[in-house]
Amino acid sequence: MISTRIISADEAGIAEAAALIRRGVPVAVPTETVYGLAGDATSGEAVAAIYAAKGRPSFNPLIVHVADLAMAEGLALFSPLARRLAEAFWPGPLTMVLPTGASARVASLVTAGLETIAVRAPAHPVMRALITSVGHPLAAPSANASGSISATRAEHAARSLDGKIELVLDGGATEVGIESTIVAVADGGLRLLRPGSVTVEMLELVAGMAVDTGDNGEIEAPGQMLSHYAPAKRVRLDADTAGADEFHIGFGPVAGRSSLSDRGNLAEAATRLFDMLHEADRSDAAAIAVAPIPRAGLGLAINDRLERAAAPRPPSDESETSPG
Ligand code: TXA
Ligand code: MG
């Protein structure tokens, strides 16, 4: 059992994290979306250590984080459309799934054998400093045990992965609060694999074409399995009122026990979402009820995460079926 330390993400902290990552040891680090468990994407052993710490099924591929478009072009094939999206939204919370480049030097474990690779250039200065310092692209899934809620604070990551990782770099609460938007760019078109704070409307404006939002029932991103982001407690959605045994999460006019945003602001709600689910999960209430959130813009991504939190759990060992 490793003892998990939280240290400040200052210059010394980043240097210590970079040294661990160079030795193949994954470190939890802040990004603008959620905390990630970062490892050297070019080292199979480092990537295996990420999977091991998370207890994640190895068929679920990881996002590779790069400093900029130039670094990404060493990993994936960029069409003119993909380049336009990178120029518009990077650095930032957009992940693109692209064909793997011929010279891609990432460990095959990262892509779990797929012929595509998920890449994103994060905006958070700590994650950017780490990529630059290590000098390699960093594979980083969300820094939580497989199947549980994503971490938006250093303490969430430390609690979820306690004894499984050595270090958490504390950069405070993350700004966006939900994971990046994932879009597959293929055959001149765009398919949304995971909604996020870069909305369909924003993508369509830059791309000048419609985004396929799919809902054909097929699982595109393996991580998009239904029971995901799961609190331990039962979750009920669209709840205007709650029972005495429920922790009521409010929004807008529905006050609840604690509110995602009492002024009904979706960006504020996204930032607080996982925090609030953690709080509700740790409370004395037996179950969780969540006020209705409008299903538009950023509200789509919030409802997507909530629906996964509320989905019926797999019957047996969750870690086998619910990547995180
Ligand atoms: O905001 C984020 O994206 C955070 C921060 C740390 O960057 N990362 C994150 O990673 O959410 P993770 O591993 O929890 O989610 C990555 C998702 C999974 O659903 C995975 O299946 C999907 O990306 N994915 C990765 N590579 C893929 C590929 N080649 N094709 C389709 N889906 C892919
Ligand atoms: Mg995750």
Side-chain angles (χ1 to χ4, degrees):
M1 177 106 169
I2 310 165
S3 79
T4 303
R5 288 180 300 135
I6 301 182
I7 63 169
S8 168
D10 54 16
E11 213 172 308
I14 291 169
E16 184 175 347
L20 282 173
I21 290 172
R22 275 190 222 104
R23 285 186 9 228
V25 179
V27 176
V29 301
T31 83
E32 72 277 31
T33 56
V34 298
Y35 276 69
L37 184 60
D40 183 346
T42 66
S43 156
E45 277 161 40
V47 175
I50 296 174
Y51 285 119
K54 280 190 59 107
R56 164 180 271 198
S58 58
F59 56 76
N60 195 30
L62 306 179
I63 295 173
V64 177
H65 298 71
V66 294
D68 50 29
L69 180 57
M71 193 185 253
E73 288 194 289
L75 307 176
L77 296 175
F78 276 74
S79 62
L81 174 59
R83 202 164 289 128
R84 201 152 74 236
L85 292 175
E87 277 156 8
F89 297 111
W90 282 1
L94 177 68
T95 296
M96 284 192 275
V97 171
L98 302 169
T100 326
S103 65
R105 286 204 319 274
V106 301
S108 61
L109 206 48
V110 169
T111 54
L114 298 174
E115 283 170 4
T116 53
I117 183 167
V119 286
R120 115 170 161 92
H124 198 289
V126 171
M127 183 59 154
R128 294 178 62 76
L130 210 52
I131 296 168
T132 307
S133 172
V134 173
H136 288 165
L138 299 181
S142 49
N144 52 276
S146 186
S148 60
I149 310 167
S150 290
T152 53
R153 292 174 185 278
E155 306 85 73
H156 296 162
R159 206 178 303 124
S160 189
L161 296 170
D162 187 34
K164 306 271 172 33
I165 61 172
E166 286 193 26
L167 196 67
V168 180
L169 269 190
D170 187 353
T174 61
E175 201 179 309
V176 178
I178 55 175
E179 302 86 342
S180 61
T181 303
I182 306 182
V183 67
V185 188
D187 307 321
L190 297 176
R191 209 166 67 251
L192 186 72
L193 301 182
R194 180 173 75 183
S197 65
V198 173
T199 62
V200 168
E201 293 82 355
M202 289 160 74
L203 289 168
E204 289 181 339
L205 202 62
V206 170
M209 65 174 73
V211 173
D212 175 8
T213 51
D215 292 329
N216 54 6
E218 274 173 48
I219 297 172
E220 296 280 4
Q224 288 303 85
M225 291 177 175
L226 214 50
S227 171
H228 198 46
Y229 310 102
K233 292 172 183 167
R234 179 172 49 80
V235 180
R236 189 167 66 83
L237 305 183
D238 297 312
D240 284 308
T241 59
D245 62 335
E246 288 177 317
F247 186 106
H248 196 192
I249 297 177
F251 179 83
V254 179
R257 180 155 147 193
S258 197
S259 180
L260 284 170
S261 170
D262 47 25
R263 54 199 171 106
N265 180 292
L266 289 169
E268 182 177 47
T271 304
R272 292 190 182 163
L273 180 63
F274 290 123
D275 236 1
M276 197 76 73
L277 288 173
H278 279 286
E279 183 187 335
D281 219 15
R282 285 199 310 275
S283 74
D284 53 7
I288 302 168
V290 188
I293 315 284
R295 286 175 167 76
L298 195 49
L300 283 178
I302 295 171
N303 276 290
D304 172 74
R305 304 307 190 278
L306 283 171
E307 278 153 22
R308 286 168 209 288
R313 306 297 146 73
S316 58
D317 180 4
E318 189 186 31
S319 68
E320 290 299 315
T321 51
S322 176

